[in-house]
């Protein structure tokens, strides 16, 4: 069995360079690769393109990279919780490509599956379709979307073993599974790293074939993006 364990996040991020394209799992602040993002901030990598459902908040997640103006382009679906993102986008400091959420997920999955492109009805007749090939299928118009081409994918999982087999927990099972194997190098941080054979094969969400590097993460904050509580009765 191939051991894909690396000692820490610094080793996991070896090979990162300015100008690369990164995929980052997570939905809001749920299931984001906190340790990997912190390492990208520490390395001060510049002019990067980030593919992520959202851009975190001002002081957490990808918001930390935005604060240091490390991101050249964001490819996202929802970015409404980050004031610095809004400021940079409106001022022209940040290039932004907004994509329907399902299309974003499918472009990740297409890259994971080795499919170069696909047709989808989502976005037809809107600005999303501008400059894209369109075809009619079953009486409905579709636009051509291409699989992503990323250098590194940064994933957060609940449990993983030394072979890279992964289990996600709750809503952290969002964009993370689709991004595994969708980049040239998939880096996974886990809350619990266990020996091979520990995980129940029937519970594994992503097999190790989609993972190149895996490490034990630490100091997860697990913030709540929008705290909503029931009014006192």
């Amino acid at each position: 069995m191939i051991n894909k364990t690396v000692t820490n996040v610094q080793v996991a991020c070896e090979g990162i360079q300015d100008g690369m394209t990164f995929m980052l799992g997570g939905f809001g602040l749920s299931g984001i690769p906190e340790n990997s993002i912190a390492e990208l901030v520490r390395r001060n990598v510049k002019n990067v393109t980030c593919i992520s459902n959202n851009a975190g908040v001002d002081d957490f997640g990808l918001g930390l990279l935005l604060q240091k103006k490390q991101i050249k382009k964001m490819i996202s679906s929802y970015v409404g919780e980050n004031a610095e993102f809004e400021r940079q986008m409106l001022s022209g400091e940040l290039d932004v490509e907004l994509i329907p959420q399902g299309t974003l997920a499918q472009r990740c999955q297409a890259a994971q599956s080795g499919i170069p492109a696909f047709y989808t009805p989502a976005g037809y007749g809107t600005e999303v379709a501008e400059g894209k090939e369109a075809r009619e299928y079953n009486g409905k118009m579709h636009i051509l979307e291409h699989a992503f081409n990323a250098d590194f994918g940064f994933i957060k999982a609940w449990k993983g073993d030394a072979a890279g087999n992964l289990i996600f927990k709750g809503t952290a099972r969002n964009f993370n599974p689709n991004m595994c194997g969708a980049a040239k190098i998939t880096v996974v941080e886990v809350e619990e790293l266990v020996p091979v054979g520990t995980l129940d094969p029937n519970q594994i969400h992503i097999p190790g074939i989609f993972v190149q590097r895996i490490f034990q993460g630490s100091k997860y904050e697990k913030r709540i993006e929008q705290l909503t509580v029931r009014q006192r009765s």
Side-chain angles (χ1 to χ4, degrees), residues 8-220:
N8 52 44
V9 65
Q10 289 79 25
V11 177
C13 290
E14 286 183 355
I16 286 175
Q17 299 177 8
D18 291 350
M20 283 187 164
T21 297
F22 302 142
M23 284 182 168
L24 299 104
F27 189 97
L29 300 182
S30 174
I32 65 172
E34 297 174 36
N35 288 237
S36 298
I37 291 173
E39 178 62 14
L40 294 177
V41 173
R42 189 191 71 80
R43 287 174 178 253
N44 201 31
V45 59
K46 298 286 189 180
N47 297 318
V48 298
T49 296
C50 290
I51 301 167
S52 177
N53 178 67
N54 55 284
V57 292
D58 289 304
D59 62 344
F60 194 62
L62 286 178
L64 299 173
L65 292 172
L66 286 168
Q67 281 184 352
K68 295 183 65 178
K69 298 185 178 179
Q70 295 174 254
I71 301 176
K72 175 185 68 175
K73 180 177 181 178
M74 276 295 309
I75 301 175
S76 302
S77 179
Y78 176 73
V79 293
E81 302 296 334
N82 194 313
E84 177 61 17
F85 180 100
E86 179 183 11
R87 189 197 67 77
Q88 290 187 26
M89 179 177 70
L90 295 178
S91 67
E93 299 172 41
L94 181 68
D95 188 10
V96 177
E97 181 181 351
L98 294 177
I99 303 175
Q101 198 164 79
T103 302
L104 180 69
Q106 191 59 45
R107 288 179 68 180
C108 294
Q109 195 167 26
Q112 180 190 66
S113 304
I115 297 172
F118 59 93
Y119 284 95
T120 175
Y124 179 77
T126 72
E127 292 182 7
V128 171
E130 290 183 2
K132 297 177 181 177
E133 180 183 333
R135 289 190 181 184
E136 182 179 341
Y137 290 93
N138 299 320
K140 191 172 185 178
M141 295 302 297
H142 294 64
I143 59 175
L144 182 67
E145 295 282 4
H146 291 84
F148 288 125
N149 182 19
D151 298 292
F152 277 81
F154 297 101
I155 308 302
K156 163 72 186 309
W158 176 43
K159 286 186 180 182
D161 64 22
N165 298 305
L166 306 176
I167 297 177
F168 301 93
K169 186 176 184 180
T171 53
R173 189 182 177 186
N174 39 55
F175 280 85
N176 281 300
N178 283 3
M179 289 183 175
C180 288
K184 295 180 179 70
I185 297 176
T186 296
V187 173
V188 180
E189 56 183 84
V190 294
E191 295 183 36
E192 186 177 349
L193 186 60
V194 300
V196 173
T198 304
L199 302 179
D200 179 353
N202 294 302
Q203 301 301 316
I204 291 172
H205 295 135
I206 289 292
I209 190 68
F210 291 109
V211 176
Q212 280 73 51
R213 304 171 188 175
I214 186 169
F215 69 95
Q216 173 84 54
S218 62
K219 300 180 180 178
Y220 289 110

